[in-house]
Amino acid sequence: MLPSDHENHDRLYKLRPFLDYLKRKFQTISLEENLSIDEQLCPTKAKSFLKQYLPLKPHKWGYKIFVLSGISGFMYNFEVYTGLENNSEKRLSTEPNLGACANVVLRLSRIVPKFQNFKIYFDNYYTTLALVVYLAKQGICSLGTLRRNRVPECLTQIDGVPVTATEWKDNKVVTLLSNFSGAEPASEVTRFDKKKNEHISVPCPNVVKIYNQHMGGVDLLDSIIARYRIAMRSKKWYFKLFFHFMDVTIVNAWLLYRKRKKENTMSLADFRREIAVSLCMQGSNICTPTTRGRKRNISESPSEPKKKKEVFNHICHQRMFGKIKSATLPLLQI
């Protein structure tokens, strides 16, 4: 623990060894071709300087975590938001400063191999024109929804990189920016027309279809974690984060187990139960279980009744009829 005014101060110092260990383990698994980056929330209402408010999440209060995951929901990389991540000291010398939002994508995508056809999807919180161009130069395809004020009116090539901006009006106007896909080839989707009171076919750009197919990895991970969350309450902020990442680790292990076995797989509830039983049995001898209480004499026959001790009854009989002297009576009053 370093003082708060120190240049290397880490607000997550109590969990840093644990988080770094999980990152190394998650990154030993081969990356999927299609990856997505989004926010994840560890829900809590405890008083903490790390707590954030995200109104679009099911749980609006909690610790914000930036996650890089595959379309299966497997978490490959993550970053807990503390407010100190965008310092220039923590940025690599080869990385440009693209702004606080786009820099999150740069840090999480450091583990993605270059020029191997990997694709990253993100929403309008991260998407900027400079980010898409930089990823294209690094050999990483990218696609994301875009805030309209972040892009000029017309796009063809930016710094030698072909970039397309596509607008599509669904329930509202959606703008997407990509360095590998565009509007063509267009497909058709079904929408309900209130004026005609019937379902009609509407042309849909190809970039919208690709985005919808591959963007939901982090949301899928959140839904799986929410099924069986560790329900241990604590006022300490690090306990809540610790239990959250334990849930993430279990879900990652379950997804990897399903991917490798494929047939007759256990449900998540049974998988968690097996983990709990295995952890409880660590260090115990399963073949010879321990028993509580006095050990039974094996030589005794279970059908043979035990002989009662008659010494105490004999003394009580003698005391009742006055055969024991009064001087010895206090010795029997136990």
Side-chain angles (χ1 to χ4, degrees), residues 263-287:
E263 295 181 358
N264 300 324
T265 57
M266 290 187 291
S267 64
L268 180 59
D270 294 335
F271 189 81
R272 294 178 72 102
R273 189 180 298 113
E274 289 292 331
I275 291 177
V277 172
S278 301
L279 292 176
C280 290
M281 289 185 174
Q282 287 295 318
S284 62
N285 192 348
I286 303 177
C287 298

mmCIF file of all heavy atoms in Angstrom, residues 263-287:
data_model
loop_
_atom_site.group_PDB
_atom_site.id
_atom_site.type_symbol
_atom_site.label_atom_id
_atom_site.label_comp_id
_atom_site.label_asym_id
_atom_site.label_seq_id
_atom_site.Cartn_x
_atom_site.Cartn_y
_atom_site.Cartn_z
ATOM 1 N N GLU A 263 -21.074 -33.007 -25.279
ATOM 2 C CA GLU A 263 -22.196 -33.929 -25.124
ATOM 3 C C GLU A 263 -22.351 -34.301 -23.656
ATOM 4 O O GLU A 263 -21.374 -34.494 -22.926
ATOM 5 C CB GLU A 263 -21.985 -35.203 -25.949
ATOM 6 C CG GLU A 263 -21.954 -34.961 -27.452
ATOM 7 C CD GLU A 263 -21.764 -36.242 -28.220
ATOM 8 O OE1 GLU A 263 -21.622 -37.298 -27.544
ATOM 9 O OE2 GLU A 263 -21.763 -36.207 -29.465
ATOM 10 N N ASN A 264 -23.628 -34.405 -23.231
ATOM 11 C CA ASN A 264 -23.969 -34.796 -21.851
ATOM 12 C C ASN A 264 -23.261 -33.910 -20.826
ATOM 13 O O ASN A 264 -22.664 -34.388 -19.865
ATOM 14 C CB ASN A 264 -23.613 -36.273 -21.613
ATOM 15 C CG ASN A 264 -24.366 -37.201 -22.543
ATOM 16 O OD1 ASN A 264 -25.524 -36.958 -22.880
ATOM 17 N ND2 ASN A 264 -23.707 -38.259 -22.974
ATOM 18 N N THR A 265 -23.327 -32.620 -21.053
ATOM 19 C CA THR A 265 -22.665 -31.686 -20.141
ATOM 20 C C THR A 265 -23.560 -31.381 -18.948
ATOM 21 O O THR A 265 -24.791 -31.448 -19.033
ATOM 22 C CB THR A 265 -22.327 -30.381 -20.863
ATOM 23 O OG1 THR A 265 -23.533 -29.819 -21.410
ATOM 24 C CG2 THR A 265 -21.332 -30.615 -21.984
ATOM 25 N N MET A 266 -22.945 -31.041 -17.847
ATOM 26 C CA MET A 266 -23.674 -30.664 -16.640
ATOM 27 C C MET A 266 -24.224 -29.249 -16.777
ATOM 28 O O MET A 266 -23.662 -28.412 -17.472
ATOM 29 C CB MET A 266 -22.757 -30.730 -15.411
ATOM 30 C CG MET A 266 -22.360 -32.115 -14.985
ATOM 31 S SD MET A 266 -21.443 -32.075 -13.421
ATOM 32 C CE MET A 266 -19.924 -31.296 -13.974
ATOM 33 N N SER A 267 -25.309 -29.003 -16.066
ATOM 34 C CA SER A 267 -25.817 -27.639 -15.990
ATOM 35 C C SER A 267 -24.903 -26.815 -15.092
ATOM 36 O O SER A 267 -24.048 -27.347 -14.370
ATOM 37 C CB SER A 267 -27.242 -27.639 -15.433
ATOM 38 O OG SER A 267 -27.249 -28.127 -14.096
ATOM 39 N N LEU A 268 -25.089 -25.509 -15.117
ATOM 40 C CA LEU A 268 -24.247 -24.635 -14.308
ATOM 41 C C LEU A 268 -24.448 -24.896 -12.826
ATOM 42 O O LEU A 268 -23.486 -24.855 -12.047
ATOM 43 C CB LEU A 268 -24.545 -23.168 -14.639
ATOM 44 C CG LEU A 268 -23.736 -22.120 -13.869
ATOM 45 C CD1 LEU A 268 -22.242 -22.307 -14.103
ATOM 46 C CD2 LEU A 268 -24.165 -20.716 -14.278
ATOM 47 N N ALA A 269 -25.686 -25.185 -12.418
ATOM 48 C CA ALA A 269 -25.956 -25.472 -11.000
ATOM 49 C C ALA A 269 -25.218 -26.738 -10.551
ATOM 50 O O ALA A 269 -24.601 -26.762 -9.475
ATOM 51 C CB ALA A 269 -27.455 -25.606 -10.773
ATOM 52 N N ASP A 270 -25.280 -27.797 -11.360
ATOM 53 C CA ASP A 270 -24.572 -29.029 -11.011
ATOM 54 C C ASP A 270 -23.060 -28.830 -11.039
ATOM 55 O O ASP A 270 -22.333 -29.404 -10.222
ATOM 56 C CB ASP A 270 -24.961 -30.155 -11.982
ATOM 57 C CG ASP A 270 -26.423 -30.544 -11.850
ATOM 58 O OD1 ASP A 270 -26.995 -30.326 -10.767
ATOM 59 O OD2 ASP A 270 -26.992 -31.032 -12.835
ATOM 60 N N PHE A 271 -22.592 -28.000 -11.969
ATOM 61 C CA PHE A 271 -21.156 -27.722 -12.060
ATOM 62 C C PHE A 271 -20.660 -27.000 -10.804
ATOM 63 O O PHE A 271 -19.620 -27.353 -10.244
ATOM 64 C CB PHE A 271 -20.879 -26.896 -13.304
ATOM 65 C CG PHE A 271 -19.428 -26.713 -13.629
ATOM 66 C CD1 PHE A 271 -18.715 -27.708 -14.281
ATOM 67 C CD2 PHE A 271 -18.766 -25.556 -13.267
ATOM 68 C CE1 PHE A 271 -17.371 -27.550 -14.577
ATOM 69 C CE2 PHE A 271 -17.423 -25.379 -13.562
ATOM 70 C CZ PHE A 271 -16.724 -26.382 -14.209
ATOM 71 N N ARG A 272 -21.422 -26.028 -10.348
ATOM 72 C CA ARG A 272 -21.043 -25.307 -9.122
ATOM 73 C C ARG A 272 -21.111 -26.235 -7.906
ATOM 74 O O ARG A 272 -20.287 -26.151 -6.988
ATOM 75 C CB ARG A 272 -21.951 -24.107 -8.914
ATOM 76 C CG ARG A 272 -21.810 -23.020 -9.964
ATOM 77 C CD ARG A 272 -22.778 -21.886 -9.696
ATOM 78 N NE ARG A 272 -22.358 -21.126 -8.528
ATOM 79 C CZ ARG A 272 -21.729 -19.949 -8.565
ATOM 80 N NH1 ARG A 272 -21.438 -19.403 -9.735
ATOM 81 N NH2 ARG A 272 -21.392 -19.321 -7.464
ATOM 82 N N ARG A 273 -22.088 -27.138 -7.902
ATOM 83 C CA ARG A 273 -22.210 -28.073 -6.785
ATOM 84 C C ARG A 273 -21.018 -29.023 -6.741
ATOM 85 O O ARG A 273 -20.491 -29.325 -5.666
ATOM 86 C CB ARG A 273 -23.517 -28.856 -6.922
ATOM 87 C CG ARG A 273 -23.855 -29.708 -5.698
ATOM 88 C CD ARG A 273 -25.167 -30.451 -5.896
ATOM 89 N NE ARG A 273 -26.271 -29.518 -6.058
ATOM 90 C CZ ARG A 273 -26.961 -29.367 -7.183
ATOM 91 N NH1 ARG A 273 -26.632 -30.078 -8.252
ATOM 92 N NH2 ARG A 273 -27.950 -28.517 -7.252
ATOM 93 N N GLU A 274 -20.580 -29.486 -7.906
ATOM 94 C CA GLU A 274 -19.410 -30.361 -7.952
ATOM 95 C C GLU A 274 -18.159 -29.641 -7.465
ATOM 96 O O GLU A 274 -17.319 -30.223 -6.771
ATOM 97 C CB GLU A 274 -19.203 -30.872 -9.381
ATOM 98 C CG GLU A 274 -20.244 -31.877 -9.854
ATOM 99 C CD GLU A 274 -20.129 -33.194 -9.110
ATOM 100 O OE1 GLU A 274 -19.012 -33.537 -8.689
ATOM 101 O OE2 GLU A 274 -21.162 -33.863 -8.940
ATOM 102 N N ILE A 275 -18.022 -28.372 -7.823
ATOM 103 C CA ILE A 275 -16.870 -27.599 -7.349
ATOM 104 C C ILE A 275 -16.911 -27.457 -5.834
ATOM 105 O O ILE A 275 -15.894 -27.610 -5.142
ATOM 106 C CB ILE A 275 -16.853 -26.218 -8.026
ATOM 107 C CG1 ILE A 275 -16.543 -26.367 -9.516
ATOM 108 C CG2 ILE A 275 -15.817 -25.310 -7.372
ATOM 109 C CD1 ILE A 275 -16.586 -25.061 -10.273
ATOM 110 N N ALA A 276 -18.099 -27.179 -5.282
ATOM 111 C CA ALA A 276 -18.223 -27.012 -3.836
ATOM 112 C C ALA A 276 -17.882 -28.301 -3.093
ATOM 113 O O ALA A 276 -17.162 -28.284 -2.082
ATOM 114 C CB ALA A 276 -19.639 -26.551 -3.488
ATOM 115 N N VAL A 277 -18.388 -29.429 -3.606
ATOM 116 C CA VAL A 277 -18.094 -30.716 -2.957
ATOM 117 C C VAL A 277 -16.605 -31.033 -3.048
ATOM 118 O O VAL A 277 -15.995 -31.509 -2.074
ATOM 119 C CB VAL A 277 -18.938 -31.829 -3.607
ATOM 120 C CG1 VAL A 277 -18.506 -33.204 -3.091
ATOM 121 C CG2 VAL A 277 -20.410 -31.609 -3.331
ATOM 122 N N SER A 278 -16.007 -30.768 -4.190
ATOM 123 C CA SER A 278 -14.572 -31.047 -4.351
ATOM 124 C C SER A 278 -13.732 -30.196 -3.418
ATOM 125 O O SER A 278 -12.761 -30.686 -2.823
ATOM 126 C CB SER A 278 -14.162 -30.804 -5.806
ATOM 127 O OG SER A 278 -14.901 -31.624 -6.681
ATOM 128 N N LEU A 279 -14.086 -28.939 -3.249
ATOM 129 C CA LEU A 279 -13.328 -28.070 -2.348
ATOM 130 C C LEU A 279 -13.502 -28.483 -0.892
ATOM 131 O O LEU A 279 -12.561 -28.400 -0.098
ATOM 132 C CB LEU A 279 -13.765 -26.612 -2.540
ATOM 133 C CG LEU A 279 -13.391 -25.959 -3.878
ATOM 134 C CD1 LEU A 279 -13.965 -24.551 -3.959
ATOM 135 C CD2 LEU A 279 -11.881 -25.911 -4.050
ATOM 136 N N CYS A 280 -14.699 -28.930 -0.536
ATOM 137 C CA CYS A 280 -14.931 -29.363 0.841
ATOM 138 C C CYS A 280 -14.180 -30.644 1.174
ATOM 139 O O CYS A 280 -13.858 -30.889 2.337
ATOM 140 C CB CYS A 280 -16.424 -29.564 1.085
ATOM 141 S SG CYS A 280 -17.395 -28.045 1.107
ATOM 142 N N MET A 281 -13.909 -31.461 0.173
ATOM 143 C CA MET A 281 -13.222 -32.729 0.410
ATOM 144 C C MET A 281 -11.710 -32.626 0.297
ATOM 145 O O MET A 281 -11.024 -33.635 0.438
ATOM 146 C CB MET A 281 -13.726 -33.789 -0.570
ATOM 147 C CG MET A 281 -15.138 -34.260 -0.291
ATOM 148 S SD MET A 281 -15.620 -35.615 -1.377
ATOM 149 C CE MET A 281 -17.216 -36.036 -0.672
ATOM 150 N N GLN A 282 -11.195 -31.453 0.020
ATOM 151 C CA GLN A 282 -9.750 -31.302 -0.075
ATOM 152 C C GLN A 282 -9.089 -31.581 1.276
ATOM 153 O O GLN A 282 -9.501 -31.041 2.301
ATOM 154 C CB GLN A 282 -9.394 -29.888 -0.528
ATOM 155 C CG GLN A 282 -9.685 -29.621 -1.985
ATOM 156 C CD GLN A 282 -8.834 -30.476 -2.903
ATOM 157 O OE1 GLN A 282 -7.647 -30.651 -2.667
ATOM 158 N NE2 GLN A 282 -9.453 -31.010 -3.939
ATOM 159 N N GLY A 283 -8.083 -32.467 1.282
ATOM 160 C CA GLY A 283 -7.364 -32.793 2.504
ATOM 161 C C GLY A 283 -8.013 -33.866 3.340
ATOM 162 O O GLY A 283 -7.490 -34.216 4.405
ATOM 163 N N SER A 284 -9.146 -34.425 2.925
ATOM 164 C CA SER A 284 -9.811 -35.475 3.694
ATOM 165 C C SER A 284 -9.637 -36.812 2.991
ATOM 166 O O SER A 284 -9.497 -36.893 1.773
ATOM 167 C CB SER A 284 -11.299 -35.161 3.856
ATOM 168 O OG SER A 284 -11.936 -35.120 2.591
ATOM 169 N N ASN A 285 -9.676 -37.888 3.786
ATOM 170 C CA ASN A 285 -9.561 -39.238 3.261
ATOM 171 C C ASN A 285 -10.956 -39.749 2.964
ATOM 172 O O ASN A 285 -11.737 -40.031 3.863
ATOM 173 C CB ASN A 285 -8.860 -40.139 4.291
ATOM 174 C CG ASN A 285 -8.457 -41.474 3.682
ATOM 175 O OD1 ASN A 285 -8.884 -41.817 2.585
ATOM 176 N ND2 ASN A 285 -7.633 -42.210 4.390
ATOM 177 N N ILE A 286 -11.285 -39.867 1.689
ATOM 178 C CA ILE A 286 -12.642 -40.250 1.302
ATOM 179 C C ILE A 286 -12.918 -41.711 1.603
ATOM 180 O O ILE A 286 -14.026 -42.098 1.927
ATOM 181 C CB ILE A 286 -12.861 -39.965 -0.196
ATOM 182 C CG1 ILE A 286 -12.597 -38.486 -0.471
ATOM 183 C CG2 ILE A 286 -14.266 -40.329 -0.640
ATOM 184 C CD1 ILE A 286 -12.715 -38.118 -1.929
ATOM 185 N N CYS A 287 -11.891 -42.578 1.544
ATOM 186 C CA CYS A 287 -12.107 -44.018 1.735
ATOM 187 C C CYS A 287 -12.457 -44.340 3.183
ATOM 188 O O CYS A 287 -13.246 -45.231 3.451
ATOM 189 C CB CYS A 287 -10.859 -44.785 1.307
ATOM 190 S SG CYS A 287 -10.466 -44.584 -0.447
#
